[in-house]
Amino acid sequence: MAGRRGALIVLEGVDRAGKTTQGRRLVAALCAAGHRAELLRFPERSTEIGKLLSSYLAKKTELEDHSVHLLFSANRWEQVPLIKAKLSQGVTLVVDRYAFSGVAFTSAKELQLVDAATRGEFGHERYENGTFQERALLCFQQLMSDKTLNWKVVDASKSIEDVHEEIRALSEDVILCAAQRPLGELWK
Ligand code: 2DT
Ligand code: MG
C-alpha cells in the first residue's frame, strides 16, 4: 500500500531479558517477509551524549542522577527527526529500549527496597545487579498499567525461537494497525 507509515515497536524489559537478540531476529524476519524494518537502540552510544552515557554506565565517570536522566532523554530527542522521517517513509522501527527504560531505571534508583543477594552473572555496568533489576521490573509493571500504550507482555523465559515467533506475530498485527493510523506524538 503506497504511503503507509511504519510501526514503532519498542522492546522493553530488564537486562538479559533477550531484547537485543530478539530485536535483531525480528528485524531480519520482518525484512524477509517483505517489510522495511530497521533496528534502533537506546542509549545510542555513538553520539556525543551517548558517549557520556556510555562512560557513566561503564562507571568511568560520575554524573548527578537528575542530569543523567536528562541526558538519556536528550539522547532520544536527538534521534527524533530520524525516527519521524523513517516512520513516515514506511519503515518499521524496532527499538531496543526507549523512554520506558528511562522512567523505570531512574525510578528504581529512588525505590527503598531491602537489598536481595546478588545473583551474579550480570555484566559489570552500572545497574547490572539483581536488586536493581527487580526494582526496575516493578517500575515497568507500573508503567504497563497505562493501557493507552498498547503493551504486549511476552514471557521471556521461553526459548529464543518461541519468543521470536510470538514477537513476530504480534509485530505483523501492529504493522497493519499502524498503517491505518496517523503518526501520533512520540512518548519520549
Ligand atoms: P544496555 O545498553 O545493555 O541496554 O544498557 N537506561 C537506558 C537508563 O537508565 N535510562 C534510559 O533512558 C535508557 C534508555 C538501562 C543500558 C542501560 O541504561 C539504562 C540499562
Ligand atoms: Mg546491559
Side-chain angles (χ1 to χ4, degrees):
M1 206 191 304
R4 71 182 193 180
R5 73 165 176 96
L8 180 69
I9 298 172
V10 174
L11 303 180
E12 285 285 12
V14 293
D15 277 26
R16 300 195 307 157
K19 297 177 297 301
T20 307
T21 304
Q22 292 296 335
R24 289 195 189 119
R25 295 215 35 183
L26 179 59
V27 167
L30 292 176
C31 291
H35 296 286
R36 290 165 69 206
E38 293 177 22
L39 189 65
L40 296 181
R41 77 223 54 81
F42 289 104
E44 170 49 66
R45 299 185 190 224
S46 65
T47 66
E48 290 305 313
I49 292 171
K51 285 175 199 158
L52 289 175
L53 290 169
S54 196
S55 156
Y56 172 77
L57 288 167
K59 300 180 192 164
K60 288 183 187 145
T61 50
E62 291 300 322
L63 290 167
E64 195 274 336
D65 288 339
H66 301 79
S67 54
V68 83
H69 180 81
L70 293 175
L71 287 174
F72 274 111
S73 177
N75 184 241
R76 287 185 288 276
W77 277 102
E78 58 187 356
Q79 301 299 320
V80 166
L82 175 86
I83 292 176
K84 286 191 169 170
K86 294 273 182 191
L87 292 176
S88 49
Q89 285 158 20
V91 179
T92 283
L93 296 175
V94 175
V95 190
D96 185 352
R97 292 191 194 278
Y98 198 54
F100 312 97
S101 276
V103 175
F105 278 72
T106 294
S107 306
K109 285 180 169 173
E110 283 146 31
L111 278 187
Q112 298 298 315
L113 292 190
V114 182
D115 277 15
T118 41
R119 286 185 190 152
E121 288 185 59
F122 281 103
H124 298 294
E125 283 205 327
R126 208 178 285 268
Y127 312 141
E128 290 185 325
N129 66 76
T131 312
F132 198 89
Q133 297 293 321
E134 275 170 24
R135 291 180 204 170
L137 179 59
L138 278 177
C139 298
F140 277 127
Q141 284 163 346
Q142 281 176 5
L143 282 170
M144 284 191 298
S145 63
D146 181 349
K147 301 297 174 208
T148 61
L149 288 169
N150 195 17
W151 287 99
K152 308 283 181 207
V153 180
V154 176
D155 176 0
S157 67
K158 294 190 293 186
S159 71
I160 291 180
E161 199 48 52
D162 287 354
V163 173
H164 168 66
E165 182 45 37
E166 191 174 338
I167 296 179
R168 195 199 54 73
L170 287 168
S171 300
E172 288 283 0
D173 291 345
V174 164
I175 289 171
L176 273 180
C177 290
Q180 288 150 20
R181 287 203 222 155
L183 198 56
E185 268 310 296
L186 296 175
W187 204 92
K188 39 197 161 341

